[in-house]
Amino acid sequence: AGDTVLIHGGSGGVGSAAIQIAKALGARVITTAGSPERCDACAELGADVTIDYHDDVPAAVAEATEGRGVDVILDILGAGGLTDNLSMLATDGRLVIIGLQRGRKAEINLQALMAKRLTVTGTLLRSRPRPEKAAIVADVAKHVWPMVADGRIKPVVHDRLPLAEAMRGQELLESGTVFGKVLLVP
């Protein structure tokens, strides 16, 4: 509550959920998406500020925060976004890297990191041991699921496809037209 959060990829499955969760927890939400229409859809989910990622994102964040920067960034970009992300963080800001869409390796200016007392964290769910995964599921059930149950968070489903059409689902995801998730159903 009270933090300003930048969520990259607000129109994706993780991003669309993150917007709603951050908003429900009392954060000010800034998000990026790939078109004005996608930005509008992110605003409908609760984003306070939306930025087309084809524009100058650091400049837009500086304007939206009056030069202060954001407290938290949820990043799907990885290496290609690292320098901009560090520049957009406020003092004591936290960068949480959950994707590598723009690469795995980057050079980091440690002076910038130290001067603003920044924290950079990377995390994956897939590689965690089962007990850790179980603890995460329990936390989601305790803290997030009640917000789904009372309607503060709504799953964003682009399409439901029969399991036999999994390839079509993959093609949809690769097309860049999906907003939210594609569900495969029996």
Side-chain angles (χ1 to χ4, degrees):
D3 279 352
T4 299
V5 179
L6 171 60
I7 298 167
H8 285 297
S11 62
V14 171
S16 62
I19 290 168
Q20 295 177 78
I21 293 168
K23 196 66 183 171
L25 293 174
R28 178 173 184 236
V29 177
I30 301 173
T31 191
T32 62
S35 71
E37 296 79 21
R38 288 177 173 276
C39 286
D40 290 345
C42 290
E44 289 176 22
L45 291 175
D48 298 291
V49 177
T50 62
I51 304 166
D52 187 321
Y53 63 68
H54 296 101
D55 296 336
D56 185 343
V57 176
V61 166
E63 181 180 334
T65 63
E66 298 177 348
R68 180 184 171 278
V70 296
D71 301 294
V72 179
I73 297 176
L74 184 63
D75 176 49
I76 60 171
L77 305 174
L82 184 62
T83 300
D84 282 348
N85 282 335
L86 295 178
S87 75
M88 292 185 287
L89 284 169
T91 299
D92 295 316
R94 288 106 55 213
L95 171 60
V96 182
I97 302 169
I98 61 166
L100 302 170
Q101 289 182 1
R102 290 196 193 160
R104 298 169 184 255
K105 294 183 180 183
E107 189 170 301
I108 189 167
N109 178 343
L110 294 175
Q111 177 62 35
L113 194 78
M114 294 164 57
K116 291 185 355 184
R117 299 183 306 276
L118 304 179
T119 302
V120 178
T121 303
T123 188
L124 290 173
L125 186 59
R126 192 169 303 148
S127 62
R128 290 175 183 255
R130 284 183 188 222
E132 286 184 25
K133 290 179 185 178
I136 291 168
V137 168
D139 279 348
V140 169
K142 180 179 178 182
H143 299 290
V144 178
W145 206 251
M147 293 187 282
V148 174
D150 70 17
R152 286 180 284 168
I153 297 172
K154 295 180 174 77
V156 178
V157 178
H158 180 85
D159 205 351
R160 289 173 172 79
L161 300 173
L163 188 55
E165 295 183 34
M167 268 312 275
R168 188 165 75 101
Q170 183 62 37
E171 290 166 0
L172 264 175
L173 290 172
E174 290 174 5
S175 74
T177 62
V178 172
F179 190 98
K181 286 288 189 187
V182 173
L183 300 182
L184 297 177
V185 297

